[in-house]
Amino acid sequence: MTDYDVKEIVKDRYRQEARRVLSAPERCCGTPTDVVSGDLYDDTETATVPVQALQASLGCGNPTALAELAPGEVVLDLGSGGGIDVLLSARRVGPTGKAFGLDMTDEMLALAEQNKQRSGLANVEFLRGEIESIPLPDESIDVVISNCVINLSAEKDRVLREAFRVLRPRGRFAVSDIVVRGSIPAELRDVAALWAGCASGAMEETEYRAKLAAAGFTDVDVQPTRVFTHDEAHDFLAGEGLDALADQIAPLAANNVMSAFIRARKPH
């Protein structure tokens, strides 16, 4: 697949998800239940965000909880979707701080704006754009977060260079992502559903570290937050409509694919 193909696959997946939430009854409830996105936020956090933001969550971690945000900081969420991590960040940095969300799909941005209005938060701004070309000035951000989105890009080096550019000196990179220990079989890289689910695009741990270092980051750390078992990998593949491949791929993914929290810092 070309880079353009990957981007269109991802856009289509997220458009569909936003439309699903936007068309649901106003009082619909519940939380994501799939293997990767389920049970990421505790009850205290879910009580502070609109249910529509939680319903649109397609992440693989909770970067806001792990990023150690401080009052007054400026945060940027790459691929902010329905806005859940932006809204949680805005509450953590308080009225003297600010949380930006960046997304490339109009439908997700419309949903995020609705969730902003429902939340009543004034220190939130959603931007339309692509994570490979962030529409913000150099050295304007204290913390870059992201939740299972960087792996969706076919141009990860550009994404990491852009994150480095917008961070202030000593700024922090703090993202949740899918990381591989070992390698994903080459034939799986062309499975469209897995790109949209951020599995085919997952980087191997040493590759992630090397790309961050090449972009200029220091103090790189990869902390596993969930290592997927055979059954979890099988359920994920089945949920992506790949039942025919699940028996073949799940043994390869078991204990080699993980959700991880990736930290790094821009030098002073």
Side-chain angles (χ1 to χ4, degrees):
M1 291 186 295
T2 67
D3 293 352
Y4 176 82
D5 292 333
V6 170
K7 188 165 291 185
E8 289 305 304
I9 289 164
V10 172
K11 280 184 178 180
D12 185 61
R13 162 74 179 273
Y14 282 76
R15 285 190 192 106
Q16 291 182 32
E17 188 65 19
R19 288 168 182 160
R20 179 188 67 80
V21 177
L22 286 165
S23 64
E26 183 71 17
R27 294 187 178 182
C28 77
C29 56
T31 60
T33 57
D34 66 86
V35 172
V36 176
S37 298
D39 301 322
L40 300 179
Y41 304 95
D42 64 31
D43 292 342
T44 303
E45 292 169 317
T46 59
T48 66
V49 297
V51 67
Q52 291 83 355
L54 184 61
Q55 281 288 304
S57 172
L58 293 170
C60 59
N62 187 348
T64 301
L66 297 171
E68 301 177 347
L69 301 178
E73 289 189 314
V74 180
V75 183
L76 169 64
D77 182 13
L78 300 179
S80 49
I84 185 169
D85 294 315
V86 178
L87 301 179
L88 290 171
S89 295
R91 293 193 183 279
R92 288 178 181 268
V93 300
T96 60
K98 186 165 185 175
F100 288 99
L102 175 64
D103 206 276
M104 65 179 178
T105 54
D106 292 333
E107 292 85 352
M108 274 297 185
L109 287 168
L111 176 59
E113 287 292 348
Q114 287 187 14
N115 289 328
K116 173 186 173 181
Q117 296 303 317
R118 292 185 180 103
S119 74
L121 291 165
N123 60 336
V124 169
E125 183 176 347
F126 290 102
L127 306 170
R128 190 185 192 288
E130 299 182 351
I131 62 176
E132 297 86 358
S133 183
I134 299 171
L136 287 171
D138 295 357
E139 299 187 358
S140 57
I141 300 296
D142 295 304
V143 186
V144 169
I145 66 170
S146 187
N147 199 346
C148 204
V149 170
I150 292 174
N151 276 339
L152 300 177
S153 174
E155 299 179 272
K156 297 175 180 63
D157 291 312
R158 284 187 62 189
V159 175
L160 299 178
R161 288 196 299 268
E162 278 290 276
F164 187 87
R165 177 184 66 80
V166 300
L167 279 171
R168 293 171 177 150
R170 301 296 295 166
R172 308 191 303 284
F173 178 88
V175 311
S176 292
D177 226 334
I178 298 294
V179 176
V180 176
R181 283 179 171 164
S183 61
I184 291 179
E187 62 270 23
L188 299 186
R189 299 287 180 183
D190 286 333
V191 179
L194 286 182
W195 266 108
C198 78
S200 281
M203 286 188 282
E204 199 274 328
E205 181 180 349
T206 56
E207 180 186 15
Y208 215 134
R209 290 176 178 272
K211 286 184 180 296
L212 283 165
F217 287 100
T218 60
D219 303 329
V220 177
D221 182 56
V222 179
Q223 174 189 340
T225 54
R226 182 175 187 174
V227 179
F228 297 105
T229 66
H230 175 280
D231 289 346
E232 289 172 330
H234 193 282
D235 289 347
F236 168 75
L237 292 163
E240 295 294 327
L242 300 173
D243 303 71
L245 292 175
D247 291 339
Q248 170 193 347
I249 299 171
L252 301 175
N255 302 314
N256 292 320
V257 178
M258 62 185 179
S259 297
F261 183 59
I262 299 102
R263 292 182 176 90
R265 189 179 290 275
K266 182 173 182 175
H268 183 65

